[in-house]
């Protein structure tokens, strides 16, 4: 997350970023056929209506835990998908403690493409950041403007352009819009069951996140997001007796040894990271997983009998994940005198490993971008791509790519904005990519 900008400097910063975007040339006529030109025209004609829709969506609070707001956004989108010939259903989120998901399907004769997005934002109704604000001609602030109601609007506009050009039937299409991407429901296997099942039936997955907020990049690989907890128990006694043969090192030193062992012995691969987000040790520790926290009580003259650390672990592949977990278990097992420790791992978002199929899809997207005059597109460094819902689908399809939504910046902060000049870029590229996938 970027640091929030001071309010007084916001406008200058946004305008500077907006005008740092590259200037694009006109489409290369030799590379763009008549149908693709028609798609470009349809996108241009519908731009203002799409921006108006985005404003309406942003002005409905759909913080993950505002179930009514999430459903309201889904209700606003349902008739638009139905008008394009989709069958739309609502997946009730009660079994996993969330509002639910919107799923839309459309039959066709070509490859099966899965489009992935989310309805929710991080901003709940009690947050002061609630409304769309047009900063200038190019910049609009608002919760979810870029992350990622803007992505949903890009997808709808691309699909509408294909429909107006009578090209939608060349694809089988499934759209999954989650209501809990920003705070996933539990159990996670239920919360992501519909997405995984849709991916198993699909050939290609395309996600609509804003990703790196750079029109020169797209995402072909994402690291996982899993969790770990280390719990330590030790002898307790008067502090003057610490290190005595019959007393031992205490829980705090043992936890310190473990964390230092992770740093010294497990750290190394740039794409493998593990961060302790909470560390606690005292005479009494009351630990809570959700929301993460700990309440402590103790004295300096008592050797702490309890220590706990909670953190996350991120890897690019499942093999890296398993190897790293094994190394962490080995460190934990080498206890100091009169201490014992255990480590527990929890699964959350799996990795989206880099594959030849993903890079092939990026190559097609890059070619579309060049042909439309928008320049080259390269892959984002996975170190800079956080976990996202496409990771649940990537292993089940031949090709996957992310970052094709509306771009902007400062997501997850009260300064979140969309750069509206990226709307025609992203929408035209997506529409032409889908058309070319249908041709193949």
């Amino acid at each position: 997350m970027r640091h929030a900008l001071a309010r007084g400097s916001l406008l200058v910063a946004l305008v500077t970023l907006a005008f740092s975007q590259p200037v694009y040339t006109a489409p290369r006529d030799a590379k763009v056929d008549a149908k693709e030109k028609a798609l470009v025209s349809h996108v241009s004609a519908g731009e203002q209506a799409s921006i108006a829709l985005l404003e309406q969506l942003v002005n409905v609070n759909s913080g993950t835990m505002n179930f009514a707001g999430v459903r309201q956004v889904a209700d606003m989108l349902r008739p638009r998908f139905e008008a394009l010939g989709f069958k739309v259903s609502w997946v009730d989120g009660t079994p996993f403690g969330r509002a639910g998901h919107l799923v839309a399907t459309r039959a066709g004769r070509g490859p099966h493409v899965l489009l992935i997005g989310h309805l929710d934002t991080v901003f709940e109704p009690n947050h002061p950041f609630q409304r769309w604000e047009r900063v200038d001609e190019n910049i609009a602030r608002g919760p979810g403007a870029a992350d990622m109601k803007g992505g949903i609007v890009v997808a709808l506009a691309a699909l509408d352009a294909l429909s107006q050009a009578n090209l939608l039937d060349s694809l089988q299409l499934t759209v999954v819009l989650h209501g809990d991407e920003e705070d996933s429901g539990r159990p996670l296997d239920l919360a992501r069951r519909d997405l995984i099942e849709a991916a198993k039936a699909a050939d290609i997955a395309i996600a609509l996140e804003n990703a790196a907020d750079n029109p020169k990049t797209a995402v072909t690989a994402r690291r996982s997001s899993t969790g770990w907890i280390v719990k330590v128990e030790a002898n307790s006694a008067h502090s003057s007796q610490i290190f005595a043969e019959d007393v031992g090192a205490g829980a705090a030193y043992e936890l310190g040894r473990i964390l230092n062992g992770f740093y010294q012995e497990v750290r190394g691969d740039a794409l493998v990271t593990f961060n302790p987000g909470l560390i606690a040790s005292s005479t009494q520790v009351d630990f809570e997983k959700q929301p993460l926290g700990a309440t402590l009580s103790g004295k300096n003259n008592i050797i702490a009998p309890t220590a706990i650390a909670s953190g996350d672990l991120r890897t690019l592949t499942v093999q890296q994940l398993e190897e790293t977990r094994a190394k962490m278990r080995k460190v934990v097992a080498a206890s100091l005198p009169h201490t014992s420790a255990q480590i527990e791992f929890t699964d959350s978002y799996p990795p989206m490993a880099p594959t030849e199929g993903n890079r092939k899809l990026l190559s097609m997207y890059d070619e579309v971008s060049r042909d439309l005059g928008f320049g080259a597109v390269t892959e984002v460094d996975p170190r800079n791509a956080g976990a996202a819902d496409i990771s649940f689908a990537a292993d089940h399809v031949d090709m996957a790519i992310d970052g094709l939504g509306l771009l902007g910046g400062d997501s997850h902060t009260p300064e979140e904005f969309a750069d509206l000049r990226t709307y025609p870029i992203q929408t035209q590229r997506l529409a032409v990519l889908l058309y070319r996938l249908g041709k193949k």
Side-chain angles (χ1 to χ4, degrees):
M1 180 184 296
R2 303 188 188 113
H3 295 293
L5 296 168
R7 182 72 178 176
S9 65
L10 174 64
L11 180 59
V12 173
L14 295 185
V15 170
T16 299
L17 184 145
F19 281 92
S20 69
Q21 298 289 352
V23 176
Y24 294 107
T25 60
R28 293 190 286 176
D29 288 344
K31 297 291 185 178
V32 179
D33 68 24
K35 292 180 180 179
E36 292 169 350
K37 291 178 182 178
L39 292 175
V40 170
S41 295
H42 289 313
V43 169
S44 297
E47 179 171 352
Q48 293 310 310
S50 291
I51 301 304
L53 172 61
L54 178 58
E55 179 178 357
Q56 294 169 27
L57 295 172
V58 167
N59 283 337
V60 175
N61 178 279
S62 59
T64 308
M65 301 310 294
N66 179 12
F67 294 177
V70 172
R71 293 191 193 98
Q72 184 178 346
V73 171
D75 289 342
M76 294 168 68
L77 294 171
R78 175 188 285 268
R80 295 179 180 274
F81 282 107
E82 289 177 338
L84 296 173
F86 284 81
K87 294 181 179 179
V88 182
S89 61
W90 178 253
V91 178
D92 178 37
T94 301
F96 46 90
R98 294 295 184 267
H101 313 315
L102 183 75
V103 178
T105 59
R106 191 182 192 283
R109 59 178 178 272
H112 191 160
V113 176
L114 169 63
L115 298 175
I116 303 168
H118 61 90
L119 306 164
D120 63 322
T121 76
V122 299
F123 302 99
E124 300 295 340
N126 61 352
H127 196 285
F129 188 45
Q130 293 291 332
R131 304 290 293 180
W132 171 273
E133 176 190 354
R134 195 68 177 258
V135 177
D136 61 25
E137 182 182 359
N138 303 312
I139 301 297
R141 296 176 64 248
D147 184 19
M148 62 147 291
K149 292 175 179 177
I152 297 172
V153 169
V154 164
L156 269 173
L159 294 171
D160 182 64
L162 288 162
S163 177
Q164 291 188 57
N166 296 315
L167 298 172
L168 265 185
D169 288 340
S170 63
L171 293 168
Q172 304 172 66
L173 291 160
T174 300
V175 180
V176 176
L177 302 179
H178 285 134
D180 65 340
E181 195 272 348
E182 302 293 6
D183 186 2
S184 303
R186 293 291 187 273
L188 195 57
D189 59 341
L190 285 181
R192 293 296 174 269
R193 180 180 60 190
D194 294 274
L195 174 60
I196 293 171
E197 290 304 312
K200 289 178 179 178
D203 305 304
I204 300 161
I206 296 174
L208 305 164
E209 291 282 1
N210 48 315
D213 286 312
N214 184 345
K216 296 181 179 181
T217 66
V219 176
T220 58
R222 287 186 177 274
R223 296 193 298 158
S224 64
S225 176
T226 62
W228 54 268
I229 297 175
V230 172
K231 297 179 180 179
V232 179
E233 295 181 355
N235 288 342
S236 184
H238 193 283
S239 61
S240 64
Q241 300 304 301
I242 195 166
F243 311 137
E245 186 174 345
D246 61 340
V247 175
Y253 277 112
E254 170 64 359
L255 182 58
R257 178 200 68 80
I258 291 170
L259 296 178
N260 185 63
F262 290 169
Y263 183 83
Q264 297 290 348
E265 301 174 35
V266 184
R267 180 179 60 95
D269 190 319
L271 293 174
V272 176
T273 58
F274 35 88
N275 174 65
L278 180 147
I279 302 171
S281 179
S282 192
T283 305
Q284 182 175 344
V285 178
D286 295 320
F287 172 73
E288 293 292 338
K289 290 184 179 180
Q290 191 70 16
L292 184 64
T295 303
L296 313 180
S297 61
K299 292 184 176 181
N300 289 337
N301 62 0
I302 300 175
I303 299 172
T306 304
I308 192 165
S310 174
D312 75 350
L313 168 61
R314 296 173 186 267
T315 67
L316 187 59
T317 67
V318 173
Q319 181 179 349
Q320 283 181 337
L321 179 63
E322 294 306 318
E323 290 175 349
T324 304
R325 285 177 171 178
K327 292 176 182 177
M328 294 174 77
R329 290 190 183 99
K330 184 177 180 180
V331 170
V332 170
S335 300
L336 291 175
H338 296 290
T339 68
S340 63
Q342 60 180 355
I343 186 167
E344 302 172 359
F345 294 100
T346 56
D347 290 324
S348 184
Y349 276 63
M352 174 186 176
T355 68
E356 288 305 311
N358 296 356
R359 291 193 173 105
K360 180 179 178 181
L361 185 56
L362 173 65
S363 177
M364 293 180 64
Y365 188 62
D366 170 64
E367 183 177 33
V368 167
S369 184
R370 291 172 186 266
D371 291 348
L372 291 173
F374 297 141
V377 182
T378 60
E379 59 188 355
V380 173
D381 183 345
R383 193 73 160 77
N384 300 324
D389 281 338
I390 194 170
S391 296
F392 290 96
D395 278 350
H396 303 290
V397 294
D398 299 326
M399 298 186 287
I401 195 172
D402 199 353
L404 274 59
L406 187 65
L407 308 182
D410 286 333
S411 295
H412 291 212
T413 81
E415 311 298 344
E416 179 182 349
F417 68 92
D419 184 341
L420 301 179
R421 284 184 295 183
T422 67
Y423 169 85
I425 299 169
Q426 299 295 90
T427 308
Q428 289 178 31
R429 292 196 298 202
L430 179 58
V432 174
L433 175 66
L434 292 172
Y435 164 66
R436 293 186 182 181
L437 289 171
K439 284 176 64 178
K440 289 182 179 297

